[in-house]
Amino acid sequence: MIFKLNVDDFNGLSIADVKNVLDQSYKKPLSEILLFDLLVDEEKNEGLRHGVYMYFNDKNECVYIGKCSSSHFAHRIGGHFGMSPKYGMNTFLKRAVEKLGLKYKDKDKAYQGYVEALPIIANYELLIINSNRKGNKFISSLEKVLHITYRPELNFPKSYPKTYKAIADNAVFIEEVKKL
């Protein structure tokens, strides 16, 4: 099954409709992701380079949304799984370890929390929204609209940005993306 959607498929849909499509879409378990899954959009028969990716927990709740506007998905998504607490790109894994209560204060055991988190996170799932050739501004706005729609807890572990204003469920999704 395909866990990649194309942003053009959201044309004319409301925020609520897009959320429903995303919630009902197949998501691939992280334990089953292969490098080659992140390289090609099979539907469009093109390289999969830019867009937004979403991680869902085992309850189908969106817990993290990221964007890929300058590097490709294989690089960006893979970067979230650096097994070192000091690694700069592993925002998702680092925050998941903290949220799961597996962060060790003892520096000698810092890696242990990452190891313990992996079997749990293996059940999380990935959904990609392909936005090739839409440009950095569009992709940043797409990510922001999805942040506002889902309020993913691992993106905002301390507090939700006050600058993120609510968007009506009946608003046209792509128009809202273009406005931001």
Side-chain angles (χ1 to χ4, degrees):
M1 297 187 84
I2 296 176
F3 64 101
K4 303 166 204 166
L5 304 174
N6 287 290
V7 73
D8 293 334
D9 295 339
F10 302 152
N11 285 332
L13 298 180
S14 70
I15 296 282
D17 290 339
V18 169
K19 186 173 187 309
N20 188 50
V21 167
L22 296 173
D23 290 345
Q24 299 303 315
S25 291
Y26 172 75
K27 298 154 191 93
K28 192 160 189 175
L30 294 180
S31 62
E32 297 175 16
I33 298 290
L34 303 173
L35 177 63
F36 284 91
D37 292 333
L38 305 175
L39 298 175
V40 175
D41 181 334
E42 295 87 347
E43 273 190 21
K44 288 194 164 194
N45 195 31
E46 69 178 10
L48 187 63
R49 295 201 36 86
H50 303 127
V52 171
Y53 53 95
M54 305 171 72
Y55 294 119
F56 290 79
N57 66 15
D58 54 358
K59 297 175 190 149
N60 199 37
E61 299 165 330
C62 180
V63 294
Y64 190 88
I65 298 170
K67 68 179 176 187
C68 213
S69 58
S70 60
S71 64
H72 51 83
F73 283 100
H75 178 259
R76 187 67 193 104
I77 291 171
H80 278 290
F81 294 91
M83 288 294 289
S84 171
K86 297 177 185 176
Y87 185 62
M89 284 181 57
N90 65 356
T91 309
F92 167 73
L93 182 57
K94 186 182 296 183
R95 289 182 182 168
V97 166
E98 291 170 6
K99 180 71 178 166
L100 294 167
L102 299 172
K103 184 177 179 182
Y104 287 87
K105 293 183 189 219
D106 181 351
K107 289 184 181 187
D108 292 335
K109 292 187 175 185
Y111 295 96
Q112 188 59 34
Y114 285 65
V115 172
E116 292 173 18
L118 289 177
I120 299 166
I121 293 169
N123 296 315
Y124 285 22
E125 297 173 321
L126 176 67
L127 181 65
I128 290 176
I129 302 171
N130 182 0
S131 305
N132 281 351
R133 293 180 293 288
K134 295 293 184 184
N136 291 350
K137 183 180 183 312
F138 180 91
I139 293 169
S140 292
S141 296
L142 174 62
E143 178 191 40
K144 185 173 180 180
V145 168
L146 290 169
H147 281 161
I148 292 167
T149 302
Y150 279 95
R151 298 176 73 116
E153 65 183 348
L154 297 181
N155 283 97
F156 310 107
K158 294 186 178 148
S159 67
Y160 187 72
K162 292 180 175 136
T163 58
Y164 280 26
K165 303 299 180 200
I167 301 172
D169 283 346
N170 64 348
V172 178
F173 184 83
I174 294 297
E175 295 306 315
E176 292 299 318
V177 171
K178 290 178 179 176
K179 272 197 237 178
L180 293 181

